[in-house]
Amino acid sequence: MKGISSMATRQVLADLASAWKEQGGEPVDIESVGGVDAAQRVQTGDEPFDLVFLASNAIDKLEAAGRVLPGSKVDLMLSSTAVAVLAAASQPDIRSEEAVRAAVLAAPSVGFSTGPSGVALQKLFKRWGIAEEIKPRLVQARPGMPVGSMVASGEVALGFQQLSELIHVQGIQIVGALPAAIAIDTVFSAAVVSGAVNVEAAQRLLAFMASPQAAEAKRRQGMEPV
């Protein structure tokens, strides 16, 4: 089987695919790229994917377009957005919405992703009324590029991305998740792509990935089962 996913779920899907194979399941090769790119490649229908793993709303759009089998969507895990700074830097206060706003205004540069967390963050900046003021200091990561890598290299001073994409980056410190008032949480789902060769095997794999048996692997990668 062949699948495609966004970068946010790359490691957890690799772990789950390995666990699936160890218990006798069919081999599955999951390519991880930028989420926008992944959705476009499934949308065009030019490649023989069996499975797609993306943010829940992206899966819904593919289903509406007839690119995934109706009713095959399975919610797998929830990922929260966190804040990171350079390992040697002082940690900003992010305990409240007001504190996060102040930290963003004080930062010489702010990094965010092309994925769902980045989209939500830009909306938050607009709601705060600071989008134009900080625009020259905003740096959007290139598709497939972890924001944490930009923080580690010094390209940005303050980085926002899903925790699952930050926890394995060397040279940074994770300040913490965004406070509840402005939490940016993403549910990642999967579905069987229209035209999949082995629909039954794909459905069994997704059932395994959604089972309690898969919960620990998700938590190990900074996500929560749903």
Side-chain angles (χ1 to χ4, degrees):
M1 288 184 290
K2 184 178 180 183
I4 189 167
S5 79
S6 60
M7 292 300 292
T9 54
R10 177 180 59 85
Q11 189 58 56
V12 67
L13 290 177
D15 289 356
L16 290 174
S18 178
W20 167 251
K21 187 176 179 181
E22 286 176 5
Q23 68 169 33
E26 295 85 348
V28 56
D29 177 28
I30 303 173
E31 180 184 357
S32 296
V33 297
V36 174
D37 183 28
Q40 288 176 340
R41 287 169 63 182
V42 174
Q43 181 67 48
T44 60
D46 295 334
E47 299 174 76
F49 294 116
D50 298 291
L51 294 158
V52 58
F53 303 83
L54 289 169
S56 180
N57 62 342
I59 296 289
D60 291 340
K61 290 176 182 177
L62 289 173
E63 182 170 349
R67 293 305 307 137
V68 302
L69 295 182
S72 68
K73 176 185 171 184
V74 177
D75 292 336
L76 297 177
M77 50 213 142
L78 181 144
S79 180
S80 298
T81 300
V83 181
V85 296
L86 197 63
S90 298
Q91 289 197 5
D93 180 4
I94 62 166
R95 291 174 291 181
S96 67
E97 179 175 354
E98 295 74 17
V100 175
R101 184 177 186 276
V104 169
L105 287 171
S109 52
V110 178
F112 62 100
S113 76
T114 57
S117 64
V119 173
L121 199 66
Q122 291 178 83
K123 290 179 181 178
L124 180 62
F125 294 158
K126 288 180 181 178
R127 180 166 70 77
W128 283 345
I130 64 172
E132 288 304 313
E133 179 182 349
I134 66 173
K135 188 175 181 179
R137 295 184 275 127
L138 292 179
V139 182
Q140 187 171 40
R142 297 173 292 283
M145 164 71 74
V147 174
S149 296
M150 299 196 302
V151 175
S153 68
E155 186 177 350
V156 297
L158 190 68
F160 293 83
Q161 197 165 28
Q162 287 161 33
L163 178 62
S164 61
E165 295 192 72
L166 293 172
I167 57 176
H168 297 299
V169 179
Q170 300 296 313
I172 68 172
Q173 55 177 321
I174 298 170
V175 184
L178 290 170
I182 54 170
I184 299 174
D185 296 333
T186 301
V187 172
F188 285 99
S189 307
V192 180
V193 178
S194 297
V197 175
N198 194 334
V199 173
E200 191 269 337
Q203 290 174 328
R204 283 192 286 107
L205 172 59
L206 294 189
F208 166 75
M209 288 185 168
S211 72
Q213 191 176 348
E216 181 52 38
K218 296 171 186 178
R219 294 192 176 101
R220 192 164 57 243
Q221 300 301 334
M223 298 188 176
E224 287 295 322
V226 293

